[in-house]
Amino acid sequence: DNHTCGYCGRTATTVDHVIPRAQGGPHTWKNVAAACRPCNGRKRDRTPEEAGMPLHIKPYAPEGTGALLVLVGQVDANWREWLSERELTSA
């Protein structure tokens, strides 16, 4: 998501549960989206449809080395030769 709000495109600083936990939504990769603080606050405990806020991305679970980069948060210089350009730019 490159730290981009899935609702407005500004810099994301929070994680939003697409189906709110208050409505039984799970805390899983496929139910979370990066969101800026104003959008997350405006959406509150509503779905995007209920809030009138279309979600412009489809949440997904990272796989392979992409998942590792999400967990680690940075790319060690020794790993660079083993990673694709796409994986390096998404880190």
Side-chain angles (χ1 to χ4, degrees):
D1 61 15
N2 292 318
H3 303 282
T4 302
C5 178
Y7 298 101
C8 72
R10 290 183 291 210
T11 300
T13 56
T14 67
V15 176
D16 173 62
H17 290 87
V18 180
I19 300 171
R21 296 190 78 185
Q23 293 188 27
H27 184 63
T28 62
W29 284 110
K30 293 185 178 184
N31 190 46
V32 296
C36 67
R37 191 166 302 282
C39 283
N40 202 344
R42 190 172 121 220
K43 183 176 165 284
R44 299 189 327 254
D45 61 349
R46 302 175 290 177
T47 65
E49 294 79 20
E50 291 169 341
M53 297 173 65
L55 183 59
H56 301 291
I57 56 101
K58 182 178 180 181
Y60 66 94
E63 297 178 356
T65 53
L68 177 63
L69 295 175
V70 168
L71 293 172
V72 173
Q74 61 186 7
V75 177
D76 185 290
N78 295 322
W79 300 353
R80 290 189 174 276
E81 70 179 284
W82 306 106
L83 300 174
S84 70
E85 187 62 34
R86 181 179 139 302
E87 291 165 328
L88 286 170
T89 57
S90 68

